[in-house]
Amino acid sequence: MAVRTQLGMPPRKKPGLGKEGEGRIRAAIEGVTPQIDGGRFPIKRVVGETVVVEADIFTDGQDAISAALLYCKEDDPPSLAEAPLEHLGQDRWRGAFTVTQVGRYRYTLMAWVDPFQSWCQSLVKKVEAAQDVSMELQEGARLLREASERAPQPLAGTLKGWGDALVLAEVPYSDRIQLALSPEVASVMDRYPQRLFAYTYPQELLVVVDRERARFSAWYEMFPRSCAPEPGRQGTFADCEARLPYIAAMGFDVLYLPPIHPIGHTHRKGRNNAPQAGDGEPGSPWAIGSEEGGYQSIHPQLGTLEDFRRLLAKAQEWSIEVALDLAFHCSPDHPYVREHPEWFRRRRDGSVQYAENPPKKYEDIYPLDFETPGWRELWEELKRVVLFWIEQGIRIFRVDNPHTKPFRFWEWLIAQIKEAYPDVIFLSEAFTRPKVMYRLAKLGFTQSYTYFAWRNNKGELTQYFTELTHTERREYFRGNLWPNTPDILTEYLHSGGRPAYMARLILAATLGASYGIYGPAFELCQEQPKEPGSEEYLDSEKYEIKHWDIGRPDSLAGLIARVNQIRRENPALQRDWGLRFHPVDNNQLFCYTKSTPDNVILVVVNLDSRYTQSGWVDLEALGLDPHQPYQVHDLINDARYLWHGPRNYVELNPQGVPAHIFRLPTGG
Amino acid sequence: MAVRTQLGMPPRKKPGLGKEGEGRIRAAIEGVTPQIDGGRFPIKRVVGETVVVEADIFTDGQDAISAALLYCKEDDPPSLAEAPLEHLGQDRWRGAFTVTQVGRYRYTLMAWVDPFQSWCQSLVKKVEAAQDVSMELQEGARLLREASERAPQPLAGTLKGWGDALVLAEVPYSDRIQLALSPEVASVMDRYPQRLFAYTYPQELLVVVDRERARFSAWYEMFPRSCAPEPGRQGTFADCEARLPYIAAMGFDVLYLPPIHPIGHTHRKGRNNAPQAGDGEPGSPWAIGSEEGGYQSIHPQLGTLEDFRRLLAKAQEWSIEVALDLAFHCSPDHPYVREHPEWFRRRRDGSVQYAENPPKKYEDIYPLDFETPGWRELWEELKRVVLFWIEQGIRIFRVDNPHTKPFRFWEWLIAQIKEAYPDVIFLSEAFTRPKVMYRLAKLGFTQSYTYFAWRNNKGELTQYFTELTHTERREYFRGNLWPNTPDILTEYLHSGGRPAYMARLILAATLGASYGIYGPAFELCQEQPKEPGSEEYLDSEKYEIKHWDIGRPDSLAGLIARVNQIRRENPALQRDWGLRFHPVDNNQLFCYTKSTPDNVILVVVNLDSRYTQSGWVDLEALGLDPHQPYQVHDLINDARYLWHGPRNYVELNPQGVPAHIFRLPTGG
């Protein structure tokens, strides 16, 4: 009797004699890549990209093996396609297919012992050893004739003819051997192989295919209420519209708005996160919900749903997509608190449990209790929220603190939404432990915030971006790099002034195909922390309405516009995988290339925001001709330099632009 | 509609709302080790060993998580046991269990959000921040009272009492907090945790547990027919019996006999593999089967089945186990050829296809056709063969060329046999490509021949044994190291004479917990190849009866006896995992340690069989006290040296024994 665990798992199946044919399967397939957690999670691609699959494939004995990569778009009428696999040596095989539509693809592998190829291999050796092969030619004739039964006309006739010729006594022996081993015969036999006892890899692996913006995007975060052109007035969606040309001129393609819903008044936070708001203070947009509505409502002072839809339409004219925030917690005044008391946890005194991260208390926020017996209704309601905004035209969501809600909920929600709307993008705002961040990416988030903000020196940057772009992580985790957010003003930015902002901008925009800034705080180099050592802004926009002087002459808007233009014009900057680091003999100079076959961008950044730094960059790894001079073109300031060989001198003054973005000549 | 592939695979299940409770599971478990190919294959252990399991385990939010390692012996009455898991930091957890019986064990992991621990964590922070925690104490009381319902008396009463005390106004506040956070409460709550919404890792992983000999064995291969004490006579089982004291004196515990079955006469090979045997030539024992019988018969000139059983009994008296050869192919005269023509492939002229590896032909060997429609009967018959020898008392099989038979056959056969006889050991003689060798080990072979014979210099040895003992391979691949076999006389042995034999013996016996030699060719340093560059012996014993002068004064039997005794006395040499390499400033000196907590053996081998080599070995990695002298004891010649610090001088003359086997002092 096989054991059942107390958890009701079925006993392990022991290898049995199995169903007809099973015992004669001789191929083995293992070590399949990409494959996340044994196939538990999908890999990610965008439309037009290629999935390169590798596997160890072999059989017993000396017979030749053939293998194919099988793939299909899910939810299509079943239409399995096949791509060839190439033997790389050492039993390693590789094949590829291109994903052409958003949605989900599946792939797996098939392998079989190939009698005709085995026969050819053996024939060659026997012929080389000058052995008599007349009986082998008879066997070959049989294989060709059998293949003729699998092939359509006229190839069937051709195959049969070849088969007959192999045993025609009139045809000279050497001609028959030549025919048997000819590329023509091989090519036709390859198309009609005998796949007796073929083995299919038992896992079907998944690819989630997104649209291109999932891989390449430039985000601008902005508080609508701070958009009024004149001070002292709450901004509206109409003011946002007026701000669109400014955002478009900087070259951003995603405009992310913090929550636009009614804000609670109970325990509303005041300026600088004061425990109690003063009269007329607006509160944090993340304290969602009031008598005026919840997740599906709009803060009345911002405008109406119609105004919002008009903003979306206008944004589209500027090629900007609006991203909304999904912040699934409630202010004490959110309608759910009244309508669904069972979705909230109670304290012993019967009051609703507010959010806390002891010793911190967030009395203006009630978390949703995902352990509620009513979890099914809760899940469905939150799905309705997402669908509501999709119906208004939203296709990008930035998800607030997803790591404080259950993994299963996100996996379900994202799968449900993407099944109907495969073009939707979810950005995970999980600043937490690495394994939790990676898990969220695995289970479906399209993009993820990263530790970029806290990776400032050369070693930290090199190590982190190697992990993100040169390990299995890259198959499912797409970083979105933010030098700042309304919650994150790093020490590097407090102390480094404008040069620090420029350096971090260029790092974010060139290390990451997707990046974002929280503006106008960023382009205006807002650098005052709430207190020394704090990552909170002084007079944070989270708790008050700001007026930003976006026309200030020291604004970085012009540089940002230039950098985003460079990104649009250079495919190498539109993907993360082609990143490579290069040595510089100065630890304050950070050097890397991003490459596609036709485009090589070399970036050198001075990480020191105080002093000019110089050094020799070493591009040995690019395999340049050491004797051939070449021109490098700085795309920021249009300067051109003649360089020689792999080692060249660079000097960067932080008071100018503290970085080069060079385009290198490519073969083409 | 989800797609079905043409292969009839069911559609991928999308995450659904699932059955009651599923949505509220919040724990995640991933990165479980050991786990071979996602749980497809078992790991291996021997009785008394420990399985150390690690995993990434975490949940959303800030709640505390608890986890347990679940395991059971298979085929027992269901008795799931549980071992605790310890948090190593960074969401990595570790636990262990010991396997105490041969057979199969299963293990998996369970994790759950732990309300009481979460509560404690939060309480500590609030108390530290001097917050009012009276409501928290009420919550704690509730958790303790709930636990009292899960616990038996008298603990149930204790828990309830503690719960009541937490909210007793008479008890001082600080005492109540102290009670809540006391180790006593924690320990009892740990025993009766609330495992609401516990998550069980979906894979149950397997351990095949063997007896100790699977890990630690010394093999001696010997042709019974060459055992006659006087020249010119065919040896018998009785002669083998007489040879047992000699083998036992050398310290071997496995005596492996090449096939003992009747030998075919059709196309019988002659001396030195001549295409045709002369009159009276005995043929190769691997050409199995004649009119006198097949796999279940004994070559009449060796003796009867009764003689064989007596040999087994005698061997047992000398603590030697006899291993038989499973060579699943046939001579043209094997009874199967007549009785089961369907088990053989035919050539176009109707004759049976002999074995070939073009251009080589082995006309004395017919391979079995595992693609026969009669494969089920073939598999069952071969299983009967194994069971027959098991019934005679055999528990160890050396399997000839398993890589030329289907993987599935071996997986099935070994599982079938080990289900009934879990103490059976199968040694895989697959000298082929690495992935094929590893696959055979994964699917069930207990031990495996290795590339050891062809790894001669320091770099090759270091790289190969790092792969075998410091990667996932070690979980399932147990190398058995053979410096020679009847098929393998390496160039190193042709040219190196006695010193080369001594060096290779010591390497095999100390690098590998299992090793073997083909004797008496080995101990008599038989070094003449068939032709220069060939790995075949001249006048190979495979094709003729030899007479060996085992009493020759230059025999290595004495050294072998000493080395095997050292192995028996030093646990570090009885396992493969404790291997570590150490630098020596001379490339001809190879230095490594094998360690258990109580036993450290340091081996230094001179790989140059011609010249004395000297150098400084560097034991830095052992963390020795640099100021403390220590004695090293050479277990080969009983010499003792006083060493100082990590770097010490060694000089080895190949004309003496070209190696040291030192025992180092250990803390104990």
Side-chain angles (χ1 to χ4, degrees):
Chain A
M1 270 299 292
V3 170
R4 269 180 182 269
T5 71
Q6 62 184 44
L7 300 146
M9 299 194 64
R12 282 286 283 230
K13 222 183 90 195
K14 297 215 176 116
L17 280 174
K19 62 176 200 293
E20 178 61 45
E22 194 181 297
R24 289 179 284 177
I25 291 175
R26 291 169 55 204
I29 301 178
E30 51 179 47
V32 178
T33 59
Q35 178 177 238
I36 309 304
D37 293 1
R40 164 75 178 80
F41 297 106
I43 61 164
K44 298 195 177 103
R45 291 291 185 274
V46 307
V47 167
E49 285 184 339
T50 293
V51 179
V52 177
V53 181
E54 286 192 14
D56 298 328
I57 301 177
F58 47 86
T59 183
D60 61 274
Q62 301 141 15
D63 283 337
I65 199 157
S66 287
L69 172 58
L70 311 179
Y71 65 98
C72 65
K73 171 91 166 48
E74 239 186 27
D75 304 338
D76 250 5
S79 64
L80 204 71
E82 215 178 289
L85 284 168
E86 176 201 3
H87 187 209
L88 305 175
Q90 293 285 352
D91 296 320
R92 191 80 182 154
W93 294 66
R94 182 191 290 155
F97 64 98
T98 298
V99 290
T100 55
Q101 299 170 60
V102 294
R104 306 210 309 178
Y105 282 69
R106 298 202 274 173
Y107 61 98
T108 194
L109 299 153
M110 184 198 260
W112 60 94
V113 172
D114 188 320
F116 185 73
Q117 277 199 37
S118 304
W119 175 83
C120 288
Q121 282 183 6
S122 163
L123 183 70
V124 167
K125 288 179 191 158
K126 287 172 181 174
V127 167
E128 279 169 359
Q131 293 179 4
D132 172 63
V133 294
S134 47
M135 213 164 331
E136 279 72 13
L137 288 173
Q138 285 180 35
E139 176 65 13
R142 184 183 69 80
L143 292 168
L144 287 167
R145 287 167 186 156
E146 276 183 17
S148 79
E149 286 162 26
R150 294 188 294 270
Q153 289 297 0
L155 281 176
T158 310
L159 282 163
K160 188 166 177 308
W162 285 337
D164 295 342
L166 285 200
V167 287
L168 259 190
E170 305 90 274
V171 179
Y173 199 67
S174 62
D175 287 4
R176 288 190 265 155
I177 291 168
Q178 207 181 339
L179 170 65
L181 300 174
S182 69
E184 292 74 28
V185 171
S187 142
V188 177
M189 286 301 279
D190 220 35
R191 288 173 57 192
Y192 302 99
Q194 185 185 9
R195 291 184 179 176
L196 220 52
F197 317 129
Y199 173 63
T200 306
Y201 188 65
Q203 286 278 6
E204 286 197 329
L205 304 165
L206 278 176
V207 194
V208 166
V209 180
D210 294 302
R211 58 197 170 107
E212 200 194 7
R213 190 148 293 170
R215 187 191 67 205
F216 173 52
S217 56
W219 292 50
Y220 188 73
E221 175 174 3
M222 182 182 76
F223 285 71
R225 69 186 184 187
S226 300
C227 280
E230 69 277 12
R233 176 168 75 74
Q234 149 111 28
T236 64
F237 289 143
D239 296 317
C240 289
E241 274 179 43
R243 190 61 64 87
L244 287 170
Y246 168 77
I247 300 164
M250 284 190 289
F252 291 102
D253 48 29
V254 180
L255 170 60
Y256 152 47
L257 307 180
I260 56 173
H261 315 299
I263 295 172
H265 45 79
T266 303
H267 294 296
R268 176 179 286 187
K269 300 288 186 188
R271 207 175 145 180
N272 280 312
N273 200 20
Q276 200 60 49
D279 262 5
E281 287 198 73
S284 160
W286 280 278
I288 299 173
S290 76
E291 292 73 8
E292 290 155 329
Y295 298 147
Q296 298 186 31
S297 304
I298 283 177
H299 193 297
Q301 288 184 271
L302 291 173
T304 64
L305 190 58
E306 200 179 333
D307 295 336
F308 181 68
R309 279 195 298 250
R310 208 180 64 170
L311 170 62
L312 299 193
K314 287 281 172 195
Q316 199 166 22
E317 288 171 21
W318 290 99
S319 299
I320 291 172
E321 241 183 301
V322 173
L324 279 200
D325 204 322
L326 295 179
F328 286 151
H329 52 246
C330 298
S331 104
D333 312 308
H334 193 289
Y336 288 170
V337 180
R338 209 173 51 246
E339 296 163 8
H340 290 284
E342 74 280 10
W343 291 351
F344 299 88
R345 198 166 287 190
R346 302 271 145 186
R347 307 181 76 209
R348 296 304 292 169
D349 63 0
S351 64
V352 176
Q353 176 65 61
Y354 48 78
E356 46 182 5
N357 186 2
K360 286 192 220 158
K361 301 179 180 187
Y362 305 93
E363 283 128 325
D364 59 334
I365 301 285
Y366 288 175
L368 291 161
D369 177 14
F370 282 86
E371 288 185 348
T372 171
W375 61 273
R376 279 201 186 76
E377 295 72 30
L378 173 61
W379 286 22
E380 291 290 0
E381 167 64 12
L382 297 177
K383 178 180 159 186
R384 272 193 296 277
V385 169
V386 178
L387 288 174
F388 173 81
W389 292 109
I390 286 174
E391 279 153 25
Q392 312 315 314
I394 294 294
R395 286 293 181 283
I396 306 185
F397 296 94
R398 176 268 197 194
V399 179
D400 190 80
N401 280 330
H403 60 293
T404 61
K405 289 97 195 168
F407 299 118
R408 290 184 173 221
F409 165 67
W410 293 120
E411 187 166 17
W412 171 83
L413 179 73
I414 296 171
Q416 290 276 318
I417 296 297
K418 296 198 73 152
E419 187 164 8
Y421 299 95
D423 58 338
V424 172
I425 289 171
F426 291 91
L427 166 63
S428 159
E429 188 241 12
F431 291 113
T432 179
R433 304 177 328 273
K435 285 168 187 167
V436 176
M437 292 171 66
Y438 289 130
R439 178 85 178 186
L440 289 163
K442 283 181 193 175
L443 57 76
F445 280 93
T446 323
Q447 296 187 347
S448 308
Y449 282 74
T450 69
Y451 298 139
F452 168 70
W454 303 279
R455 298 294 179 271
N456 290 293
N457 69 43
K458 197 196 285 199
E460 291 164 356
L461 287 162
T462 304
Q463 189 184 1
Y464 188 50
F465 284 91
T466 298
E467 178 177 327
L468 293 188
T469 65
H470 288 282
T471 70
E472 189 193 76
R473 311 290 189 199
R474 71 181 192 178
E475 300 288 351
Y476 58 85
F477 186 93
R478 294 195 192 102
N480 190 329
L481 313 187
W482 291 71
N484 77 329
T485 77
D487 298 314
I488 303 170
L489 173 67
T490 62
E491 186 118 23
Y492 187 87
L493 293 179
H494 308 170
S495 55
R498 214 167 166 270
Y501 274 79
M502 288 191 281
R504 296 300 294 177
L505 169 78
I506 289 168
L507 287 168
T510 58
L511 282 170
S514 287
Y515 86 109
I517 59 171
Y518 151 53
F522 189 89
E523 63 265 29
L524 299 181
C525 303
Q526 192 75 2
E527 64 181 9
Q528 199 69 23
K530 194 176 159 196
E531 57 234 16
S534 164
E535 292 198 342
E536 286 287 332
Y537 281 90
L538 179 67
D539 302 331
S540 167
E541 193 165 6
K542 289 189 285 183
Y543 310 106
E544 61 188 274
I545 292 170
K546 308 285 277 187
H547 176 259
W548 299 102
D549 178 8
I550 57 174
R552 250 168 51 192
D554 62 345
S555 165
L556 295 181
L559 177 66
I560 293 169
R562 186 81 198 106
V563 168
N564 279 330
Q565 188 191 349
I566 294 169
R567 283 165 48 91
R568 280 196 305 278
E569 291 170 358
N570 288 280
L573 297 176
Q574 298 169 15
R575 53 207 79 211
D576 287 335
W577 289 22
L579 179 64
R580 185 142 60 158
F581 300 102
H582 303 282
V584 193
D585 60 355
N586 175 337
N587 218 30
Q588 294 294 346
L589 292 179
F590 182 47
C591 173
Y592 48 95
T593 47
K594 289 193 98 173
S595 306
T596 61
D598 303 322
N599 183 222
V600 181
I601 297 296
L602 167 71
V603 182
V604 190
V605 181
N606 178 0
L607 302 174
D608 177 357
S609 33
R610 291 169 200 282
Y611 301 108
T612 296
Q613 297 284 348
S614 61
W616 291 81
V617 305
D618 178 353
L619 302 180
E620 189 72 49
L622 294 183
L624 301 162
D625 182 343
H627 307 295
Q628 199 66 39
Y630 54 100
Q631 198 186 56
V632 298
H633 176 194
D634 190 334
L635 303 174
I636 300 179
N637 59 12
D638 211 28
R640 289 162 202 268
Y641 305 87
L642 198 66
W643 279 17
H644 298 264
R647 297 190 78 241
N648 289 278
Y649 180 78
V650 165
E651 182 177 305
L652 286 163
N653 180 343
Q655 298 314 313
V657 175
H660 291 300
I661 304 179
F662 289 124
R663 181 155 50 211
L664 299 191
T666 51
Chain B
M1 270 296 293
V3 170
R4 271 180 181 269
T5 72
Q6 63 185 42
L7 300 145
M9 299 193 65
R12 281 287 281 231
K13 220 182 91 195
K14 296 217 175 116
L17 281 175
K19 64 175 197 295
E20 177 61 46
E22 194 181 294
R24 288 179 285 176
I25 291 174
R26 292 169 53 204
I29 302 178
E30 51 179 49
V32 178
T33 58
Q35 177 176 238
I36 308 305
D37 292 2
R40 164 76 176 82
F41 297 106
I43 60 164
K44 298 195 177 102
R45 291 292 184 275
V46 306
V47 168
E49 285 184 339
T50 293
V51 179
V52 177
V53 180
E54 286 193 12
D56 298 328
I57 301 178
F58 47 86
T59 184
D60 61 274
Q62 301 141 15
D63 283 338
I65 199 158
S66 286
L69 171 58
L70 311 179
Y71 64 98
C72 65
K73 171 91 168 51
E74 238 185 26
D75 304 339
D76 251 7
S79 64
L80 202 72
E82 216 179 288
L85 284 168
E86 175 200 5
H87 187 208
L88 306 175
Q90 294 284 353
D91 295 320
R92 192 79 182 154
W93 294 67
R94 182 192 289 155
F97 64 97
T98 298
V99 290
T100 54
Q101 298 169 59
V102 294
R104 306 211 309 177
Y105 281 70
R106 298 203 273 172
Y107 61 98
T108 193
L109 299 153
M110 184 198 260
W112 60 93
V113 172
D114 188 321
F116 184 73
Q117 278 199 37
S118 304
W119 176 82
C120 288
Q121 281 183 7
S122 162
L123 183 70
V124 168
K125 287 180 192 157
K126 287 173 181 174
V127 167
E128 279 170 359
Q131 293 180 2
D132 172 64
V133 295
S134 47
M135 215 166 329
E136 280 72 13
L137 289 172
Q138 286 179 34
E139 176 64 14
R142 185 183 69 80
L143 292 168
L144 288 167
R145 287 167 186 155
E146 277 183 16
S148 80
E149 287 161 27
R150 295 189 293 271
Q153 290 296 357
L155 281 176
T158 310
L159 282 162
K160 189 166 174 308
W162 285 337
D164 295 343
L166 285 199
V167 287
L168 260 191
E170 305 91 274
V171 179
Y173 199 68
S174 61
D175 287 5
R176 287 190 267 155
I177 290 168
Q178 207 180 342
L179 170 66
L181 299 174
S182 68
E184 292 75 26
V185 171
S187 142
V188 177
M189 286 300 281
D190 220 36
R191 287 171 60 192
Y192 302 99
Q194 184 185 9
R195 291 185 179 173
L196 220 52
F197 317 129
Y199 173 64
T200 306
Y201 188 66
Q203 286 278 5
E204 286 199 330
L205 304 165
L206 278 177
V207 194
V208 166
V209 181
D210 293 302
R211 58 197 170 108
E212 199 193 6
R213 189 148 293 170
R215 186 191 68 204
F216 172 53
S217 56
W219 292 51
Y220 188 74
E221 175 173 4
M222 181 183 78
F223 285 71
R225 70 186 183 188
S226 300
C227 280
E230 70 277 10
R233 176 166 76 73
Q234 148 112 29
T236 65
F237 290 141
D239 296 317
C240 290
E241 274 179 44
R243 188 63 63 86
L244 288 170
Y246 168 78
I247 299 164
M250 284 190 288
F252 291 103
D253 48 28
V254 180
L255 169 60
Y256 152 48
L257 307 179
I260 57 172
H261 314 299
I263 295 173
H265 45 79
T266 304
H267 294 296
R268 175 179 285 188
K269 300 289 186 188
R271 211 177 141 175
N272 281 313
N273 201 20
Q276 202 60 49
D279 263 4
E281 288 198 72
S284 160
W286 281 277
I288 299 172
S290 76
E291 291 74 7
E292 290 153 328
Y295 298 146
Q296 297 186 31
S297 304
I298 284 178
H299 193 297
Q301 288 184 272
L302 292 173
T304 64
L305 190 57
E306 199 178 333
D307 295 336
F308 180 68
R309 279 196 297 252
R310 208 179 65 169
L311 170 61
L312 299 193
K314 288 280 172 196
Q316 198 165 22
E317 288 172 21
W318 291 100
S319 299
I320 290 172
E321 243 183 299
V322 173
L324 280 199
D325 203 322
L326 295 178
F328 285 151
H329 52 246
C330 298
S331 104
D333 311 308
H334 193 290
Y336 289 170
V337 180
R338 209 172 53 247
E339 295 163 9
H340 290 284
E342 75 280 11
W343 291 351
F344 300 88
R345 199 166 285 191
R346 302 272 146 187
R347 306 181 76 207
R348 295 306 292 170
D349 62 359
S351 64
V352 175
Q353 177 64 61
Y354 47 79
E356 46 181 5
N357 186 2
K360 286 191 221 160
K361 302 178 180 187
Y362 306 93
E363 282 129 323
D364 59 335
I365 301 285
Y366 288 174
L368 290 160
D369 177 15
F370 282 85
E371 288 186 347
T372 170
W375 63 273
R376 280 202 185 76
E377 294 73 29
L378 173 60
W379 287 22
E380 291 290 359
E381 167 65 10
L382 297 177
K383 177 179 160 187
R384 272 193 295 277
V385 169
V386 178
L387 288 174
F388 173 81
W389 292 109
I390 287 175
E391 279 153 26
Q392 312 316 313
I394 295 293
R395 286 292 182 281
I396 306 186
F397 297 94
R398 176 268 195 193
V399 179
D400 190 79
N401 281 328
H403 60 292
T404 62
K405 289 98 195 168
F407 299 117
R408 294 187 167 217
F409 165 67
W410 294 120
E411 187 166 17
W412 171 83
L413 180 72
I414 295 171
Q416 290 276 318
I417 296 297
K418 296 199 72 152
E419 186 164 9
Y421 301 95
D423 57 338
V424 171
I425 289 171
F426 292 91
L427 166 63
S428 159
E429 189 241 11
F431 290 113
T432 179
R433 306 182 320 277
K435 286 167 187 169
V436 175
M437 291 171 68
Y438 289 130
R439 177 85 177 184
L440 289 163
K442 284 182 193 176
L443 58 76
F445 279 94
T446 323
Q447 297 188 345
S448 307
Y449 282 75
T450 69
Y451 297 138
F452 167 71
W454 304 279
R455 299 295 178 270
N456 290 293
N457 68 43
K458 197 196 284 199
E460 291 164 356
L461 286 163
T462 304
Q463 188 184 0
Y464 188 50
F465 283 91
T466 298
E467 178 176 329
L468 293 188
T469 65
H470 288 282
T471 70
E472 189 192 78
R473 312 288 190 200
R474 71 181 191 176
E475 299 287 352
Y476 58 84
F477 185 94
R478 294 194 191 101
N480 190 328
L481 278 41
W482 290 71
N484 77 329
T485 77
D487 298 313
I488 303 169
L489 174 67
T490 62
E491 187 117 21
Y492 187 87
L493 293 179
H494 307 170
S495 54
R498 216 168 164 269
Y501 274 79
M502 287 192 281
R504 296 299 294 178
L505 169 77
I506 289 168
L507 287 168
T510 58
L511 282 171
S514 287
Y515 86 108
I517 60 170
Y518 151 54
F522 189 89
E523 63 266 29
L524 299 181
C525 303
Q526 192 75 3
E527 63 181 10
Q528 199 69 22
K530 195 177 160 194
E531 58 234 13
S534 163
E535 292 199 341
E536 286 286 334
Y537 282 90
L538 179 67
D539 302 331
S540 167
E541 194 166 4
K542 289 189 286 185
Y543 310 106
E544 61 188 273
I545 293 169
K546 307 286 278 189
H547 176 259
W548 300 101
D549 178 8
I550 57 172
R552 251 168 50 194
D554 61 346
S555 166
L556 296 180
L559 177 67
I560 293 169
R562 186 80 198 106
V563 167
N564 279 330
Q565 188 190 349
I566 294 169
R567 284 166 46 92
R568 280 195 306 278
E569 290 170 357
N570 289 281
L573 296 175
Q574 298 169 15
R575 55 207 77 212
D576 286 334
W577 289 22
L579 179 63
R580 185 141 59 157
F581 299 102
H582 304 281
V584 192
D585 59 355
N586 176 336
N587 219 29
Q588 295 292 344
L589 292 180
F590 182 47
C591 173
Y592 47 96
T593 47
K594 289 193 98 172
S595 307
T596 60
D598 304 320
N599 184 222
V600 180
I601 297 295
L602 167 71
V603 182
V604 190
V605 181
N606 179 0
L607 302 174
D608 177 358
S609 33
R610 290 169 201 280
Y611 301 107
T612 295
Q613 297 285 347
S614 62
W616 292 81
V617 304
D618 177 354
L619 302 180
E620 189 72 49
L622 294 183
L624 301 162
D625 181 343
H627 307 295
Q628 199 66 38
Y630 54 99
Q631 198 186 58
V632 297
H633 176 195
D634 189 333
L635 303 173
I636 301 179
N637 59 12
D638 211 28
R640 289 162 202 266
Y641 306 87
L642 198 66
W643 279 17
H644 299 263
R647 298 192 75 242
N648 289 277
Y649 179 78
V650 165
E651 181 176 305
L652 286 163
N653 180 344
Q655 298 315 313
V657 176
H660 292 300
I661 305 180
F662 289 123
R663 181 156 51 210
L664 300 190
T666 51

